[in-house]
């Protein structure tokens, strides 16, 4: 017989055929009858493992092993077609020889045809009776047959295996012996209505085995009628899907629930918001989204460890749940950030929706403000909360999350431990910030940054001894933008690392250029942001190598840090400051007196210079307290072997008082404004006279 004829027989025979790989159980080829039986297409079946057609893959593998090892054996298996309908099929298999890869030819016969023939009143043939008996005794599915009054008249072996009830236990009783009590009377009423009207019912329920153990069951019940349409039998087919449901629940939980706090995660929060925003829009109802993070939580982790931090997060989740109604949602959406959804603010029970939101915000602030008692530790934290209302502030999930987070950041910037409603002004501020981020990136690429240098002079003799490198951004539309505007944005986005590198390299290049004309020991101070220390692991090593590559003495550059860096400093920051100092670069502490760093910090770090903040200098000639504070700072620093630079010298009286107090160096508009590199170079070349402040400047 030709190959083409074999192919024709395979494709057109009414018997369902599957060609399956003997090792991997993958379907290689199917015929049209198999596609019809399983209600799908060849392309959907080919490549799929036979195991995937059954709710119980382990049982399928066992059946296939029997078929392969026992020639002529017939096994019964419950499959599910592409529409989800249950099919009970009788399988036979033969191992093909003379082919390149080990392959099985599997035939499938629909065992349900027996029931169909009985319902239609047709007299079953011996073949169908044998097939029905085979199905009944060997099916992996539990089967029971009842009379019209629902008394059990027959069960199969799988029924006993799945439920624990033998024929002696079950025959004569009703299926109620399996009831767990988990389904309501209304559930069973709906089931019997379907059976009496359309003759079949399919669904899931929880039943109980003989030993009292509950299990999840997928059940199909069919009513068998005689020629006159009277119900003679009920046939029930069921399988235990407990394991599958446990797996499905585990997958769902992993995808939707935060493992630490058992709260909904960001994914589930988004789904719930999506479900509730649309109805809120349609009914003109309102819902509120509150986003909250814990102020100072990072320090808890750094100080006490993540174990204590996790306990704080779990306690935070408990407190938040106690602040809201049962119908509301509390979610953990990442790190120490939580979200609260207050639903149905237009409910008749809530006369003032905004009042409810405000009360909830206050409750949360108070609840989180209570001390966290973790073991022997007493930890104090505060929340920053942003609030957005849908649909007033936003009518989509993404927009609502964005507006709430904008409000949360505003609460944090306003001092923390508070809640902030979203406003249009916050939105405009966020838009400006996004534009600034884009412009900053363009400025880095397009070379729009510039340096200015402000002289620092010896207050005893008026000699120019140092300069501070100051960053300026020349925007193509807005002109010069102050660092106070763009540095916080650069820090929050990480762009400060690239910008800081540019400043250091430019300052080093100009210092090298001025080597021949600068006074002996001349230094340039370069400001370093605390964010650079946090974000840039290789900062000291890279800058030190750059000086070596230029042949520039490392002592000619001073690293200027703020008190904020000392206050936030961890071991890494200490190590990086130590690396600079060990390489010969001196350290200056900028804005001293504004961050409450204290003497302990000066003892812990190698500080070479203190820069008195201009806030103490500005009124010292009119305010005796400021004068005394400045004198005390100078005296304290000298006792510790630290030199002092006074910033903000704008009047002769400032210079005189500071010089009298013994302050080493001065910086300010009286002495010189910040200069362009070219103007500063001219100053070095021509000589500096303290009595003639320089006017050329870059502001």
């Amino acid at each position: 017989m030709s190959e083409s004829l074999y192919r024709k027989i395979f494709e057109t025979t009414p018997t369902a055929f599957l060609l399956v790989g003997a090792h991997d159980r993958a379907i290689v080829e199917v015929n049209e009858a198999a596609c019809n039986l399983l209600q799908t297409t060849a392309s959907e079946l080919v490549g799929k493992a036979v195991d995937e057609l059954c709710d119980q893959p382990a049982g399928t593998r066992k059946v296939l092993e029997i078929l392969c090892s026992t020639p002529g054996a017939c096994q019964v298996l419950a499959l599910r077609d592409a529409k989800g309908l249950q099919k009970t099929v009788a399988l036979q298999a033969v191992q093909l020889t003379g082919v390149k890869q080990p392959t099985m030819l599997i035939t499938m016969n629909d065992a349900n045809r027996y029931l169909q023939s009985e319902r239609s009143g047709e007299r079953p043939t011996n073949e169908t009776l044998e097939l029905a008996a085979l199905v009944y005794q060997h099916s992996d599915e539990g089967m029971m047959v009842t009379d019209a009054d629902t008394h059990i008249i027959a069960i199969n072996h799988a029924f006993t295996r799945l439920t624990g009830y033998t024929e002696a236990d079950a025959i004569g009783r009703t299926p109620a012996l399996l009831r767990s009590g988990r389904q309501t009377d209304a559930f069973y009423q709906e089931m019997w209505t379907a059976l009496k009207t359309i003759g079949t019912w399919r669904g899931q329920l929880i039943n109980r085995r003989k030993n009292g153990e509950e299990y999840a069951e997928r059940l199909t019940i069919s009513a068998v009628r005689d020629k006159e349409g009277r119900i003679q039998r009920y046939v029930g087919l069921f399988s235990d899907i407990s394991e599958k449901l446990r797996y499905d629940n585990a997958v769902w939980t992993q995808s939707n629930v935060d493992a630490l706090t058992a709260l909904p995660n960001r994914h589930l929060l988004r789904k719930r918001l999506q479900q509730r925003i649309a109805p809120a829009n349609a009914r003109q109802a309102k819902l509120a989204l509150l986003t909250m993070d814990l102020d100072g939580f990072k320090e808890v982790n750094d100080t006490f460890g993540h174990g204590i931090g996790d306990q704080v997060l779990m306690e935070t989740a408990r407190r938040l749940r106690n602040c809201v109604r049962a119908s509301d949602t509390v979610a953990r959406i990442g790190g120490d950030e939580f979200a609260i959804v207050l639903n149905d603010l237009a409910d008749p029970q809530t006369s003032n929706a905004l009042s409810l939101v405000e009360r909830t915000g206050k409750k949360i602030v108070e609840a989180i403000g209570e001390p966290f008692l973790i073991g022997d530790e007493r930890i104090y934290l505060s929340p920053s909360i942003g609030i957005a209302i849908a649909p007033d502030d936003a009518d989509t999930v993404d927009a609502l999350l964005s507006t709430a987070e904008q409000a949360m950041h505003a609460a944090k910037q306003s001092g923390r431990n508070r809640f902030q409603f979203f406003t249009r002004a916050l939105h405009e501020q966020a838009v400006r910030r996004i534009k600034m981020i884009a412009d900053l990136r363009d400025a880095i690429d397009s070379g729009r940054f510039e340096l200015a240098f402000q002289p620092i002079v010896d207050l005893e003799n008026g000699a120019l001894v140092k300069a501070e490198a100051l960053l300026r951004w020349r925007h193509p539309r807005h002109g010069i933008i102050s660092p106070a505007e763009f540095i916080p944005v650069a820090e929050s986005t990480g762009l400060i690392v690239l910008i800081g590198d540019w400043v250091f390299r430019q300052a080093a290049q100009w210092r090298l250029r001025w080597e021949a004309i600068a006074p002996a020991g001349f230094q340039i101070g370069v400001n370093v942001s605390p964010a650079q220390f946090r974000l840039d692991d290789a900062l000291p090593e890279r800058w030190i190598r750059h000086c070596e590559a230029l042949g520039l003495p490392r002592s000619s550059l001073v690293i200027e840090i703020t008190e904020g860096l000392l206050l936030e400093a961890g071991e890494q920051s200490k190590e990086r400051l130590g690396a600079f100092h060990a390489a010969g670069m001196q350290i200056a502490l900028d804005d001293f007196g504004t961050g409450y760093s204290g003497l302990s910090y000066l003892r812990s770090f190698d500080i070479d210079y203190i820069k008195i903040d201009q806030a103490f200098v500005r009124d010292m000639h009119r305010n005796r307290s400021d004068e005394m504070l400045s004198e005390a700072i100078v005296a304290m620093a000298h006792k510790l072997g630290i030199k002092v630079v006074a910033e903000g010298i704008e009047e002769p009286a400032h210079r005189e008082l500071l010089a009298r107090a013994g302050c080493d160096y001065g910086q300010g508009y009286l002495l010189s404004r910040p200069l362009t590199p070219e103007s500063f170079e001219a100053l070095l070349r021509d000589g500096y006279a303290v009595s003639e402040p320089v006017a050329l400047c870059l502001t």
Side-chain angles (χ1 to χ4, degrees), residues 146-151 153 192 196 230-234:
T146 75
D147 60 20
D149 296 324
T150 73
H151 293 98
I153 59 175
W192 287 110
K196 292 181 182 300
R230 293 186 297 268
I231 294 177
Q232 287 187 315
R233 302 280 189 271
Y234 292 105

Side-chain angles (χ1 to χ4, degrees), residues 357-575:
V357 178
E358 289 172 353
R359 289 199 305 272
T360 304
K362 290 176 182 177
K363 285 171 66 176
I364 292 172
V365 170
E366 292 171 1
I368 301 302
E370 292 293 319
F372 289 80
L373 306 177
I374 311 294
D376 297 331
E377 305 297 340
R378 192 179 184 90
I379 299 169
Y380 288 89
L381 295 171
S382 62
S384 291
I385 306 167
I387 303 173
I389 307 295
D392 297 3
D393 298 327
D395 58 5
T396 67
V397 172
D398 287 332
L400 191 64
L401 285 166
S402 175
T403 52
E405 292 197 359
Q406 289 172 36
M408 182 183 73
H409 291 307
K412 193 171 288 291
Q413 291 170 0
S414 298
R416 306 182 175 189
N417 196 32
R418 65 191 62 210
F419 59 86
Q420 168 73 55
F421 281 91
F422 173 80
T423 64
R424 286 296 119 190
L426 289 177
H427 175 69
E428 291 165 4
Q429 180 182 344
V431 170
R432 286 196 300 272
R433 185 175 184 276
I434 291 170
K435 288 181 178 178
M436 181 173 283
I437 293 170
D439 289 347
L440 273 174
R441 293 184 184 277
D442 179 65
I444 294 170
D445 297 336
S446 305
R448 300 191 187 281
F449 289 114
E450 301 173 1
L451 280 190
F453 294 90
Q454 186 169 29
I456 299 174
V457 303
D458 189 317
L459 289 181
E460 183 178 359
N461 58 29
L464 175 60
V465 292
K466 304 176 189 297
E468 181 180 357
L470 301 169
L471 179 63
R472 298 291 184 265
W473 176 16
R474 190 177 296 277
H475 195 281
R477 294 187 304 279
H478 306 303
I480 295 294
I481 297 180
S482 167
E485 290 186 51
F486 68 82
I487 289 298
V489 176
E491 289 177 331
S492 66
T493 58
L495 292 173
I496 192 66
V497 174
L498 294 175
I499 295 171
D501 256 4
W502 182 88
V503 171
F504 180 84
R505 290 170 183 272
Q506 286 291 306
Q509 195 67 46
W510 283 109
R511 176 62 185 82
L512 181 65
R513 173 170 168 161
W514 297 331
E515 180 69 26
I517 60 174
F522 178 74
Q523 295 175 310
I524 293 179
V526 178
N527 291 284
V528 181
S529 159
Q532 286 175 266
F533 270 81
R534 289 197 306 271
L535 298 171
D536 193 351
D537 295 338
L539 179 68
E541 180 185 356
R542 189 172 62 255
W543 285 8
I544 292 165
R545 282 203 317 267
H546 184 68
C547 288
E548 293 172 349
L550 292 176
L552 181 67
R554 287 170 284 192
S555 59
S556 60
L557 294 169
V558 176
I559 302 300
E560 294 200 12
I561 62 174
T562 63
E563 283 190 292
L565 190 149
L566 296 189
L567 291 168
E568 299 175 9
E571 288 303 317
Q572 284 185 331
S573 295
K574 290 182 181 179
E575 290 173 6

Side-chain angles (χ1 to χ4, degrees), residues 15-18 29-46 81-82 87 108:
T15 300
F17 282 139
L18 301 176
E29 196 167 349
V30 298
N31 66 354
E32 185 176 351
C35 294
N36 292 337
L37 178 63
L38 298 175
Q39 294 289 295
T40 187
T41 62
S43 61
E44 291 292 327
L45 288 172
V46 171
D81 66 22
K87 302 266 187 192
M108 296 191 300

Side-chain angles (χ1 to χ4, degrees), residues 7 10-11 17-20 26-31 46:
R7 165 66 58 183
F10 178 83
E11 292 175 348
F17 282 139
L18 301 176
L19 284 177
V20 176
I27 298 171
V28 177
E29 196 167 349
V30 298
N31 66 354
V46 171

Side-chain angles (χ1 to χ4, degrees), residues 454-467 520-523 558 560 586 588 608-613 617 620 634 638 641-649 654-655 657-668 671 690:
Q454 186 169 29
I456 299 174
V457 303
D458 189 317
L459 289 181
E460 183 178 359
N461 58 29
L464 175 60
V465 292
K466 304 176 189 297
F522 178 74
Q523 295 175 310
V558 176
E560 294 200 12
Q586 292 184 314
D608 300 286
Y609 302 100
I610 283 176
K611 300 187 77 174
I612 302 176
D613 188 73
V617 174
M620 66 183 301
V634 172
H638 286 172
I642 298 172
K643 299 282 189 178
V644 182
V645 181
E647 297 180 301
I649 298 177
H654 295 160
R655 183 181 64 200
L657 289 170
L658 288 163
R660 189 186 308 154
C663 185
D664 302 287
Y665 309 109
Q667 178 181 355
L671 308 174
V690 69

Side-chain angles (χ1 to χ4, degrees), residues 10 15-20 34 37 50 60 63-77 79 88-96 103-111 113 127 130-131 134-135 138:
F10 178 83
T15 300
F17 282 139
L18 301 176
L19 284 177
V20 176
L37 178 63
V50 175
T60 307
V63 165
L64 293 176
E65 289 170 4
I66 293 172
L67 292 175
C68 291
S69 60
T70 312
C74 182
Q75 289 288 306
V76 176
L77 196 64
L79 304 181
T88 304
V89 296
L91 302 181
Q92 288 184 298
V94 61
Q95 190 82 34
L96 299 182
T103 307
M104 290 188 298
L105 175 64
I106 296 177
T107 65
M108 296 191 300
N109 287 293
D110 185 358
R113 285 185 303 171
E127 179 184 358
E130 291 171 4
L131 181 58
L134 185 66
V135 169
H138 297 285

